[in-house]
């Protein structure tokens, strides 16, 4: 319902601004500009969606090989010591823990299509342990925060949109997004541990969080020691090396487990094609609305005003153009993707503000969508403190995304 209001508001605001301008200036050409923008934005949305087909087919095919080859199960076993401490209310060996491992592992690998059904399964298992069926349990809240904070090792979605929009190095946002999404997840976990009175000084939990944090800090320290002209080079190399290594790892895992690799790839690629087709209506809806908003001048009024305010406070304002993406992210995945694509189409995919928008887009997940789908699937009506803690992770992730973009690209 919120998404409906936002979408309609874009059109209403564009109409109101255009009407005000035409009355104030007597310039009636703005109406043809807006309508031309609606047609060109619809065509752009379709072109982008068609262009994504090959990329989605490739990666979803590879991901299917990794899924059948046991990569997700491997991740589940790897992180089980950490998760058994974060979910103390789940009995050892309960199916809920396995579903949570599978869901989080799928999210970390960028397997969105696999992650959602796994997440719904996890919520069903958690509901079986829940004494108050209409109220979210502590374990449910921790699970939702892990999903809303959006921890992802391979941000395939953002990189493929950058590729389609003409970025010279689509993978250059890999490292900044990794840092931003880690910070978002870490803050969400720590805040919820305090709220749920989970002992952060537990040896296993503390060791895990310390080691992961140390690895990220070491990465940032290493990058900061490089000459500025080498930062993007090394970041791009690391991203591409890791991605290629993931592909090899999936293939080897598939061979080891006697998976019919080619058939698995084809099955996943078919899903990728279907997903690309399903994306078209959402991109058309939001890119047309955003395009008309920009053509009316409303977007310029917003960004110019915020740019002036940020500059007046003494801060660099080059990131302000990415703010609409940041504000839309908790509300709508398709809306925030539309905002990100609009920024890249307006300023160029390699512009600094486009990289900021990409980092913000990849730093967290779509909070209200996740809360609605996951809680709704098991009939939870009392969400307790899920919203403020999820939004905390969102805000921190967005700020970290902006900071990471400045660190890596400035």
């Amino acid at each position: 319902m919120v998404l409906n209001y936002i979408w309609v508001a874009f059109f209403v605001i564009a109409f109101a601004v255009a009407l005000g301008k035409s009355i104030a200036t007597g310039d009636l050409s703005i109406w043809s500009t807006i309508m031309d923008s609606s047609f060109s934005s619809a065509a752009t949305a379709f072109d982008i969606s068609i262009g994504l087909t090959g990329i989605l087919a490739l990666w979803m095919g590879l991901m299917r090989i990794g899924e059948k080859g046991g990569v997700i199960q491997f991740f589940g076993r790897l992180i089980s010591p950490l998760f058994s401490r974060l979910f103390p209310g789940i009995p050892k060996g309960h199916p809920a823990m396995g579903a949570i491992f599978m869901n989080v592992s799928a999210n970390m690998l960028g397997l969105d299509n696999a992650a959602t059904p796994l997440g719904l399964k996890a919520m069903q298992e958690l509901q079986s342990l829940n004494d108050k069926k209409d109220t979210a349990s502590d374990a449910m809240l921790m699970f939702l925060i892990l999903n809303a904070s959006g921890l992802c090792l391979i941000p395939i979605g953002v990189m493929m949109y950058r590729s389609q929009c003409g970025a010279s190095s689509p993978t250059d946002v890999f490292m900044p997004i990794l840092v931003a999404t880690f910070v978002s997840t870490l803050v969400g976990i720590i805040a919820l541990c305090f709220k749920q009175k989970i002992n952060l000084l537990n040896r296993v939990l503390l060791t895990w969080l310390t080691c992961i944090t140390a690895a990220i800090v070491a990465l940032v320290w290493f990058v900061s020691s490089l000459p500025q002209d080498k930062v993007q080079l090394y970041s791009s190399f690391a991203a591409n090396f890791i991605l290629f290594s993931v592909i090899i790892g999936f293939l080897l895992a598939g061979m080891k487990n006697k998976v019919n690799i080619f058939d698995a790839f084809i099955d996943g690629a078919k899903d990728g094609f279907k997903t690309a087709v399903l994306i078209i209506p959402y991109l058309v809806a939001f890119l047309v609305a955003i395009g008309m908003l920009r053509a009316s001048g409303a977007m310029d009024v917003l960004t110019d005003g915020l740019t002036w305010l940020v500059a007046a406070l003494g801060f660099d304002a080059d990131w302000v153009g990415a703010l609409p993406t940041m504000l839309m992210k908790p509300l709508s995945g398709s809306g925030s993707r539309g905002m990100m694509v609009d920024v890249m189409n307006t300023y160029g995919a390699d512009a600094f503000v486009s990289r900021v928008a990409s980092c913000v887009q990849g730093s967290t997940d779509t909070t209200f969508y996740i809360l609605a789908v996951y809680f709704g699937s098991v009939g939870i009506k009392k969400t307790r403190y899920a919203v403020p803690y999820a939004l905390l992770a969102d805000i921190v992730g967005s700020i970290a995304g902006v900071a990471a973009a400045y660190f890596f690209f400035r």
Side-chain angles (χ1 to χ4, degrees):
M1 185 61 69
V2 173
L3 188 57
N4 292 335
Y5 291 136
I6 293 171
W7 191 59
V8 171
F10 282 176
F11 289 103
V12 172
I13 293 171
F15 180 85
V17 172
L19 183 62
K21 278 189 173 183
S22 60
I23 292 174
T25 64
D27 181 12
L28 301 180
S29 63
I30 188 172
W31 297 99
S32 61
T33 300
I34 291 176
M35 292 312 301
D36 289 344
S37 173
S38 71
F39 298 136
S40 62
S41 296
T44 298
F46 181 78
D47 291 341
I48 290 173
S49 299
I50 294 301
L52 289 175
T53 304
I55 302 171
L56 271 172
L58 169 65
W59 277 101
M60 290 189 70
L62 291 169
M63 291 297 187
R64 182 62 58 84
I65 295 172
E67 182 183 352
K68 291 191 173 183
V71 175
I72 294 178
Q73 292 87 336
F74 169 76
F75 269 82
R77 291 192 298 271
L78 184 66
I79 62 178
S80 60
L82 171 64
F83 274 45
S84 62
R85 271 73 181 181
L86 292 177
F87 297 92
I90 300 178
K92 187 175 181 179
H94 193 277
M97 193 65 81
I100 291 172
F101 292 158
M102 297 279 281
N103 167 263
V104 174
S105 298
N107 275 324
M108 291 171 68
L109 291 172
L111 281 168
D112 292 339
N113 281 4
T116 300
L118 290 170
L120 296 176
K121 175 64 175 176
M123 287 297 289
Q124 291 169 3
E125 295 293 348
L126 290 172
Q127 182 72 325
S128 69
L129 295 171
N130 190 10
D131 293 331
K132 298 179 180 179
K133 299 301 183 183
D134 65 339
T135 304
S137 65
D138 285 355
M140 286 179 175
L141 293 169
M142 180 64 76
F143 177 63
L144 265 296
I145 294 302
L146 286 175
N147 273 267
S149 62
L151 180 60
C152 181
L153 298 180
I154 310 174
I156 297 298
V158 174
M159 292 190 293
M160 69 184 183
Y161 276 103
R162 284 183 52 74
S163 173
Q164 187 58 28
C165 288
S168 59
S169 179
T171 58
D172 59 6
V173 296
F174 179 93
M175 289 295 181
I177 288 177
L178 176 61
V179 172
T181 189
F182 166 74
V183 171
S184 171
T185 302
L186 182 64
V187 170
I189 288 175
I190 291 175
L192 211 56
C193 282
F194 276 114
K195 179 67 176 177
Q196 296 185 355
K197 296 181 172 57
I198 295 174
N199 183 16
L200 281 168
L201 298 180
N202 175 275
R203 182 172 57 85
V204 175
L205 184 57
L206 187 62
T207 299
W208 264 88
L209 295 180
T210 301
C211 289
I212 297 173
T213 303
I216 297 296
V217 170
L219 171 64
V220 174
W221 174 83
F222 172 72
V223 172
S224 65
S225 67
L226 297 173
Q228 191 60 37
D229 61 335
K230 298 292 185 183
V231 171
Q232 290 189 39
L233 175 64
Y234 278 71
S235 177
S236 179
F237 161 75
N240 290 313
F241 180 81
I242 291 171
L243 289 173
F244 200 2
S245 298
V246 167
I247 293 173
I248 296 299
F250 284 176
L251 294 175
L252 293 178
M255 293 180 65
K256 180 182 177 182
N257 289 281
K258 296 181 173 55
V259 174
N260 188 325
I261 294 177
F262 187 76
D263 285 351
F265 177 85
I266 296 300
D267 286 342
K270 288 179 181 178
D271 287 340
F273 182 84
K274 293 175 184 176
T275 301
V277 173
L278 291 173
I279 287 172
I280 295 175
Y282 295 97
L283 269 184
V284 169
F286 272 97
L287 283 187
V288 168
I290 294 166
M292 296 177 76
L293 198 67
R294 187 175 291 281
S296 72
M299 191 74 77
D300 292 334
V301 171
L302 173 64
T303 54
D304 289 348
L306 289 171
T307 298
W308 177 85
L309 178 62
V310 172
L313 294 174
F315 299 104
D316 185 277
D318 289 348
W319 61 273
V320 173
L323 189 60
T325 304
M326 188 185 306
L327 296 175
M328 183 63 71
K329 182 63 180 176
L331 301 170
S332 165
S334 55
S336 62
R337 283 193 295 272
M339 290 291 190
M340 177 185 68
V341 171
D342 177 69
V343 170
M344 288 192 281
N345 286 335
T346 302
Y347 300 99
D350 289 326
F352 174 71
V353 68
S354 298
R355 288 185 168 119
V356 174
S358 299
C359 292
V360 169
Q361 174 69 17
S363 63
T364 58
D365 214 322
T366 312
T367 294
F368 287 103
Y369 170 81
I370 290 173
L371 293 177
V373 171
Y374 282 7
F375 279 143
S377 68
V378 291
I380 295 294
K381 297 178 181 179
K382 299 177 182 178
T383 61
R384 299 169 67 196
Y385 45 83
V387 172
Y389 278 79
L391 287 179
L392 171 65
D394 267 333
I395 293 170
V396 170
S398 294
I399 294 172
V402 174
Y406 271 90
F407 182 82
F408 282 90
F409 301 122
R410 280 295 178 90

